[in-house]
């Protein structure tokens, strides 16, 4: 079996981490299966893959539907005798369809990794219901529920949680946050790892800091945010300056192996307004860093409120702030959350389980096709 993993994303994020984890796990558990990643040339994912042992092939993607990308895709499928194409993002679906118009491609499976609904536009519905897509692998039950409104055949939908690779975790970092940014031991570090995109709603992150530092006058907290800058970043930095939070918050930008910093966080805070299930929660579970999060997408499927974490409604910065203050004063509760979260992770949410379930789908699709 030769699987081609299709990515049309130029940045590095949770979706690309999923591809890397899936291919790495399959290489260990099923070395007879060949996995090749088809990625965007000179993108962050391509640059990262160069440092791995994973098989990959880059292609130019500029503009958005660059024929150099989808024509090369078709040629590779024929030359490499690809058995199945695993599409990992919405942009890649249309590129695969375009390639299929020139070349008779093998069947597709598609991973839906967000809880965004499928738009009702005719072209969008056509794309998601393209006959070559035999299965839609949803990252959570909520994602599956949302996707069901736009997928004509509900039998195509299945939930497979991604999880994290517990065998490759590291705490190695080029510096410690406290030393580099002169954060005193008396301050509690509230950390966040997320790219600066709309779904992560980092305005809520700033609102939480403003509530704690300025309104509650609790100066014993320091906020650290790690993630790729976008056109939203300057507005966030302007707000921080206007609120006088410069001495209580830093943005590190894109940082390789960002999850290695999680043990340096006292609390992992997520302020998303839309999610599938963010990888950083699984990684926080592994590193036993307690999690406070908004209850969007599939997050409530892995965090039981007040058992292995705390949940608030999206945009509710006041409740998130209150949870941070309350949890900071209860070290035993922090330890309890971390222990329950870790136990649940290793029992249910590992990439080993994810790879096994995904392989079952691959076999099912190829036996039916």
């Amino acid at each position: 079996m030769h699987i081609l993993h299709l990515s049309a994303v130029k940045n590095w994020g949770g979706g690309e981490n999923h591809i890397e984890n899936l291919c790495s796990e399959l290489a260990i558990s099923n070395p007879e299966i060949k996995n090749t990643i088809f990625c965007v040339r000179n993108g962050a994912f391509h640059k990262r893959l160069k440092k791995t042992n994973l098989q990959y092939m880059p292609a130019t993607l500029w503009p958005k539907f660059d024929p150099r990308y989808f024509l090369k895709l078709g040629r590779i499928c024929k030359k490499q005798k690809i058995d199945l194409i695993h599409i990992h993002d919405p942009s890649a679906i249309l590129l695969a369809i375009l390639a299929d118009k020139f070349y008779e491609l093998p069947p597709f499976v598609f991973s839906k990794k967000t809880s965004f609904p499928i738009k009702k536009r005719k072209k969008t519905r056509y794309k998601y219901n393209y006959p070559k897509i035999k299965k839609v692998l949803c990252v959570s039950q909520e994602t599956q529920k949302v996707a069901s409104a736009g997928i004509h055949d509900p039998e195509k939908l299945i939930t497979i949680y991604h999880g994290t690779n517990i065998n490759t975790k590291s705490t190695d970092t080029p510096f410690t946050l406290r030393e580099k940014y002169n954060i005193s031991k008396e301050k509690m570090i509230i950390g966040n790892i997320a790219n600066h995109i709309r779904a992560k709603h980092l305005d809520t992150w700033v609102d939480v800091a403003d509530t704690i530092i300025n309104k509650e006058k609790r100066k014993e907290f320091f906020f650290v945010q790690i993630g790729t800058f976008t056109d939203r970043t300057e507005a966030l930095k302007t707000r921080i300056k206007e609120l006088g939070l410069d001495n209580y918050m830093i943005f590190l930008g894109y940082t390789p192996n960002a999850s290695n910093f999680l043990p340096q966080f006292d609390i992992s805070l997520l302020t998303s307004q839309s999610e599938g299930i963010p990888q950083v929660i699984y990684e926080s579970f592994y590193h036993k860093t307690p999690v406070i999060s908004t209850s969007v997408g599939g997050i409530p499927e892995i965090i039981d409120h007040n058992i292995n974490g705390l949940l608030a409604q999206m945009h509710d910065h006041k409740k998130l702030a209150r949870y941070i203050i309350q949890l900071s004063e209860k070290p035993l509760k922090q330890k309890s959350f971390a222990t329950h979260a870790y136990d649940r992770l290793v029992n249910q949410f590992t990439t080993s389980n994810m790879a096994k379930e995904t392989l079952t789908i691959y076999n099912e699709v190829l036996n039916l096709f």
Side-chain angles (χ1 to χ4, degrees), residues 13 54 75 152 162 195 208 275-276 287 319:
L54 299 174
R75 293 193 299 269
H152 301 328
H162 287 178
N195 293 336
V208 170
E275 286 288 0
H287 288 294
K319 183 171 285 188

Side-chain angles (χ1 to χ4, degrees), residues 257-282:
N257 302 313
S259 65
N260 290 11
F261 284 95
L262 281 166
Q264 299 179 39
F265 296 172
D266 292 292
I267 293 175
S268 186
L269 172 66
L270 287 84
T271 59
S272 304
Q273 64 181 2
S274 177
E275 286 288 0
I277 294 180
Q279 186 71 25
V280 69
I281 292 183
Y282 292 130

Side-chain angles (χ1 to χ4, degrees), residues 106 110 137 174 182 200 252 267:
F110 169 63
L137 315 184
N182 196 27
K200 305 301 181 180
L252 271 66
I267 293 175

Side-chain angles (χ1 to χ4, degrees), residues 92-102 105 108 126-127 130:
I93 300 178
L94 185 53
L95 290 160
I97 292 172
L98 290 169
D100 193 44
K101 300 301 181 183
F102 291 88
L105 298 187
F108 307 161
Y126 170 78
K127 178 176 75 172
Y130 191 68

